[in-house]
Amino acid sequence: EGNEISDQTLYKILESMKYNLSVKLLNLSHNNFSKVGAKHLKHYLATNSTLRVLLLHWNCFGGIGGKRIAKALTTNSIL
């Protein structure tokens, strides 16, 4: 939370987490993610089956980014 992670760094984090099946809670709050970061999250959430809690408050996804995340959540039956 509050690490000022960029969209590019978020991408790298999510790519590495594809192979980590032990993470159950991910707190990405208080960063500056944009709709680009939301796109990265969309792809990650579409395939992740282990994450149970995702905290995203206080980011700058905007309407487009919010829609991207919402769409991914419709295909993720765990979150």
Side-chain angles (χ1 to χ4, degrees), residues 7-64:
D7 291 326
Q8 180 68 13
T9 303
L10 175 62
Y11 173 78
K12 291 176 183 177
I13 291 169
L14 296 176
E15 280 296 303
S16 68
M17 287 184 57
K18 284 183 179 179
Y19 309 103
N20 184 334
L21 303 178
S22 63
V23 175
K24 305 291 184 217
L25 183 146
L26 183 60
N27 186 350
L28 296 171
S29 301
H30 291 270
N31 287 288
N32 254 345
F33 303 134
S34 69
K35 63 184 178 184
V36 175
K39 184 177 179 181
H40 300 322
L41 277 167
K42 174 185 162 188
H43 294 296
Y44 173 74
L45 294 174
T47 59
N48 181 278
S49 62
T50 58
L51 194 63
R52 301 287 188 261
V53 178
L54 177 63
L55 303 173
L56 295 172
H57 57 278
W58 293 101
N59 279 292
C60 302
F61 294 120
I64 292 171

